[in-house]
Amino acid sequence: MSEAMGLAGTRAESAEGTATEGVSVRNLGVRYRDRVLLEGISTEFRPRRVTAIVGPTGCGKTTLLRSINRMHDQAPGMRVTGSVSIDGADIYAPGVGVRGLRRRVGMLFQRPNPFPQSIADNISLAPRAHGLVSRREAAHLVEERLTEVGLWEAVRGRLNASPFHLSGGQQQLLCLARALALSPDVLLLDEPTSSLDPATTEHIERLITQLSERVTILIVTHNLAQAARISDDVLFLMAGRVVEAASSRTFFNDPGDERSRAYVSGRIG
Amino acid sequence: MLVRGRARGISPSPAPAGATAGRESVTRWGDRVTHAVAAVAGMVPLGALAFIVIVMVVSAIPAILFSGTGFFTGSVFSLGSVYAPPIHHHGLTAPFGASYGALPLILGTFVTSLIAIGLAVPISVGGVLMLSEWLPRRAQSFLSLFLELLAGIPSVVFGIWGVYTFGPFMAAHVYPLLTGLGTVIPWLKGPVGAGQGLLTASLVLAIMVVPIVAATTRELVRRVPTLAREGALALGMTRHETAKVVTIPYVRTGILAAALLGWGRALGETMAVLFIIGNVLNGYPQNLYLSANTLSATIAGTLDGALTDSTGTDISALAEIGLVLLVISLVTNFAGRLVIRRVSDQALPVGRGV
Ligand SMILES: Nc1ncnc2c1ncn2[C@@H]1O[C@H](COP(=O)(O)OP(=O)(O)O)[C@@H](O)[C@H]1O
Ligand SMILES: [Mg+2]
């Protein structure tokens, strides 16, 4: 792990302005049969920054997020056009495997969805499937990841128990630990705290801030206060199009678009 | 089925919460009537079961007295001859030469049904899991229509097909190959016979049970939350890994229930087995290819002859067979429910996700 951190560190020093780093979306369109869900989306998600994706319900936030780990591949009737690049490489290019892509791009869903497996296996199954750790190293990884999300003390005595007896917040932390076990470069968070209590929400927000030192984070949120607290940048969507992409400070204090102003002040959305 | 009905009858309904004084008595009275009706309705299946058991026991008493434990240990089941003077035994009269040893029938019932379910469960579960991943939705509903049709075919038709087409084909082309496994499983050594026997009956039973297990499995798989499966897919797991890690644990308990349902069907299936199994009433087959018999097929196959016995003991023996079949069904049903409860109370239940 320290190795990956070190790597992240050097990249951070060299990188900041390099256009190819981070997640870059070019003229992205998503259609479901005849319906346009997203159109003409072009934007950059800066590396090792937290970008909040905001907008009214149904504007396409989840759809955008799912374009970035190619979750639409499985959905019949979904068509994606344009391109998404991660660190300069187009993830929709022929020959790119979703397995490797999703290893690098983790995802957290609106509601926790732990595997119906033991708590320990929830962490170790994916890394083992990807051949990242051996069965013997897995135990160490489990402790490391659970510690990182602050769940270790709570579950160390019942690693072989079902995760469904944990609270919703603990389950979501477990899912975060599960995603982190693959050492992703990008994390896609789809309203990860919308079903959680304030204490766990605050805990997850702190984790997001810490993680952004080494991971590029895209977080969809309905909670503007949350976006203001944790995001470096904001992407504001309406009806499947980008309204404004700005730094968090600009977006909340001096937005460039009238609709952003209305959204921030609570008049729309 | 009966068990579920009984549970519903017994489970206490919460007492009605106290309403305001004026309306209370009316509400109370209405509730009481409703509860009484519900209780009676709940008792109906229990009463029906009790009635059936009592009738069976009473009818079986002469045969029970006549053969005692010999029913469970004897290997010859013969109705005897009504053309010779009846014999007297344990104070009872029975046709000359009558012998009610049902052990081969009991074993035949278990062997055929277990082989059937042992083949049908992996085939249907594996098939459904694979097809649900590879077939588009529409093709899947076409497939389940096909399964329903298969389930709706009368068992007599399976019997005729088994005895005239399937059995002879297997005996000519497939069973000779299976004898190669005779060194590992001695019961698969030849001779293979003409295709009427234990194995053909088991295979046809398996075909009859597949639709039951497959249809249930398909429904279970369809109900696995997309969110749960996407958790695995989003980690780059393959569909195969996703099935193993998410889908199968979600449907496991349900499949167990489906398997028990299918097993119950195979235990009691009569007409198809009657046609196919060869109806031998004496002793055990030398291997799985040859003729044998089951409890239910014996009842159907010998009822005619038993009715000609004026002593009534033959009919009583068939009632005892029926009683044993009933007990086996009830015990497997109860045991199955216990297993299911055990499994679903343990770690990883169906649908207990957040
Ligand atoms: N799998 C799908 N099939 C059909 N329509 C979809 C699907 N997913 C999303 N949509 C539609 O796309 C639009 C955007 O949805 P979504 O991205 O989930 O919005 P948001 O996350 O911003 O609330 C909605 O109108 C929704 O109905
Ligand atoms: Mg959404």
Side-chain angles (χ1 to χ4, degrees):
Chain A
M1 218 3 64
S2 60
E3 202 178 280
M5 295 271 275
L7 192 65
T10 44
R11 270 195 301 173
E13 279 149 34
S14 68
E16 201 62 341
T18 320
T20 58
E21 254 207 308
V23 178
S24 159
V25 176
R26 285 274 151 266
N27 198 24
L28 180 77
V30 178
R31 242 154 274 248
Y32 177 71
R33 299 182 201 272
D34 301 332
R35 253 187 85 196
V36 176
L37 306 187
L38 289 179
E39 182 154 73
I41 307 281
S42 293
T43 191
E44 306 286 334
F45 298 98
R46 289 192 292 159
R48 293 172 299 284
R49 291 289 180 274
V50 179
T51 304
I53 302 172
V54 299
T57 301
C59 69
K61 304 181 293 293
T62 299
T63 306
L64 172 59
L65 219 52
R66 291 165 68 90
S67 311
I68 291 162
N69 62 349
R70 292 183 52 174
M71 286 300 276
H72 297 311
D73 285 21
Q74 275 92 37
M78 283 286 198
R79 249 195 30 246
V80 178
T81 54
S83 77
V84 175
S85 310
I86 295 178
D87 293 348
D90 185 356
I91 63 166
Y92 284 97
V96 174
V98 287
R99 189 173 171 81
L101 169 70
R102 291 176 187 164
R103 209 284 293 148
R104 297 178 52 209
V105 182
M107 187 168 209
L108 209 53
F109 296 78
Q110 212 165 334
R111 283 176 302 141
N113 57 350
F115 297 146
Q117 304 282 346
S118 72
I119 290 173
D121 282 348
N122 261 274
I123 309 288
S124 65
L125 277 170
R128 269 171 40 204
H130 284 275
L132 300 179
V133 292
S134 69
R135 194 177 276 267
R136 219 158 8 94
E137 295 159 332
H140 179 64
L141 181 73
V142 168
E143 175 172 352
E144 192 177 55
R145 290 312 170 197
L146 287 172
T147 306
E148 182 171 20
V149 301
L151 206 52
W152 175 248
E153 286 307 322
V155 303
R156 61 183 305 174
R158 43 176 167 160
L159 290 174
N160 292 317
S162 161
F164 295 119
H165 299 302
L166 300 175
S167 75
Q170 289 175 321
Q171 291 187 29
Q172 191 66 308
L173 287 172
L174 180 65
C175 292
L176 179 59
R178 177 176 77 177
L180 292 176
L182 293 176
S183 310
D185 302 324
V186 180
L187 266 182
L188 310 173
L189 313 177
D190 193 355
E191 304 191 38
T193 61
S194 64
S195 64
L196 305 183
D197 59 283
T200 315
T201 299
E202 200 195 315
H203 178 57
I204 289 185
E205 287 179 6
R206 258 202 317 275
L207 284 171
I208 290 171
T209 305
Q210 280 165 28
L211 285 168
S212 67
E213 285 171 16
R214 60 184 154 106
V215 185
T216 304
I217 295 176
L218 280 60
I219 176 171
V220 169
T221 178
H222 249 110
N223 182 340
L224 280 181
Q226 179 174 67
R229 278 196 298 273
I230 63 173
S231 70
D232 301 296
D233 299 329
V234 174
L235 179 72
F236 176 39
L237 303 180
M238 275 181 79
R241 290 172 169 278
V242 174
V243 174
E244 183 163 358
S247 75
S248 196
R249 179 172 314 184
T250 309
F251 184 79
F252 286 107
N253 298 313
D254 185 20
D257 193 288
E258 180 50 38
R259 288 165 294 172
S260 308
R261 210 176 293 276
Y263 186 70
V264 169
S265 66
R267 273 176 284 141
I268 54 174
Chain B
M1 230 60 113
L2 296 160
V3 177
R4 200 180 300 154
R6 197 184 72 155
R8 206 184 295 138
I10 284 174
S11 69
S13 317
T20 46
R23 264 198 268 149
E24 188 175 24
S25 60
V26 179
T27 319
R28 273 251 174 111
W29 200 81
D31 276 354
R32 245 180 238 164
V33 171
T34 315
H35 285 176
V37 170
V40 170
M43 287 299 176
V44 168
L46 181 61
L49 176 61
F51 179 74
I52 292 170
V53 171
I54 290 167
V55 168
M56 297 293 284
V57 170
V58 170
S59 323
I61 284 174
I64 294 171
L65 294 176
F66 184 82
S67 32
T69 55
F71 182 85
F72 295 101
T73 54
S75 59
V76 175
F77 192 89
S78 166
L79 299 181
S81 165
V82 292
Y83 301 109
I87 51 170
H88 301 276
H89 186 53
H90 289 158
L92 282 143
T93 317
F96 179 79
S99 161
Y100 308 126
L103 186 57
L105 313 179
I106 295 170
L107 292 178
T109 298
F110 276 107
V111 169
T112 49
S113 61
L114 285 175
I115 292 177
I117 204 72
L119 291 172
V121 168
I123 288 172
S124 18
V125 172
V128 166
L129 281 176
M130 251 158 52
L131 294 175
S132 69
E133 290 294 354
W134 299 115
L135 279 189
R137 278 269 144 101
R138 199 161 309 168
Q140 282 182 43
S141 31
F142 180 77
L143 190 80
S144 58
L145 182 75
F146 170 75
L147 285 175
E148 270 161 39
L149 285 177
L150 199 60
I153 294 176
S155 58
V156 162
V157 175
F158 275 109
I160 293 172
W161 174 72
V163 76
Y164 287 118
T165 312
F166 181 70
F169 173 85
M170 296 300 280
H173 302 290
V174 180
Y175 294 162
L177 304 177
L178 280 185
T179 56
L181 292 173
T183 46
V184 192
I185 309 168
W187 293 326
L188 287 177
K189 281 196 188 120
V192 298
Q196 285 190 39
L198 263 183
L199 190 57
T200 308
S202 308
L203 295 176
V204 172
L205 277 178
I207 296 170
M208 296 173 73
V209 166
V210 159
I212 298 176
V213 182
T216 317
T217 307
R218 189 184 108 85
E219 195 48 39
L220 291 165
V221 168
R222 240 162 43 95
R223 284 198 211 156
V224 174
T226 311
L227 183 68
R229 301 188 54 241
E230 285 190 334
L233 294 171
L235 289 163
M237 294 179 123
T238 60
R239 299 204 240 205
H240 177 80
E241 288 160 353
T242 304
K244 209 171 99 187
V245 169
V246 179
T247 313
I248 292 176
Y250 262 97
V251 300
R252 208 161 31 198
T253 316
I255 285 175
L256 193 58
L260 287 160
L261 205 70
W263 189 26
R265 167 94 204 252
L267 275 173
E269 173 48 44
T270 308
M271 291 317 287
V273 175
L274 175 66
F275 278 37
I276 298 164
I277 202 162
N279 284 307
V280 164
L281 292 169
N282 298 328
Y284 305 95
Q286 174 189 346
N287 60 29
L288 287 178
Y289 308 108
L290 300 180
S291 298
N293 220 331
T294 67
L295 293 166
S296 57
T298 299
I299 297 177
T302 59
L303 184 62
D304 230 18
L307 284 169
T308 63
D309 162 32
S310 57
T311 68
T313 314
D314 278 354
I315 284 290
S316 177
L318 296 191
E320 191 174 358
I321 291 179
L323 188 62
V324 170
L325 196 55
L326 184 69
V327 169
I328 291 173
S329 304
L330 289 179
V331 167
T332 51
N333 212 312
F334 266 117
R337 268 157 221 280
L338 277 184
V339 171
I340 289 167
R341 178 151 345 136
R342 190 54 80 68
V343 172
S344 52
D345 277 354
Q346 269 173 6
L348 312 160
V350 174
R352 217 196 280 172
V354 172

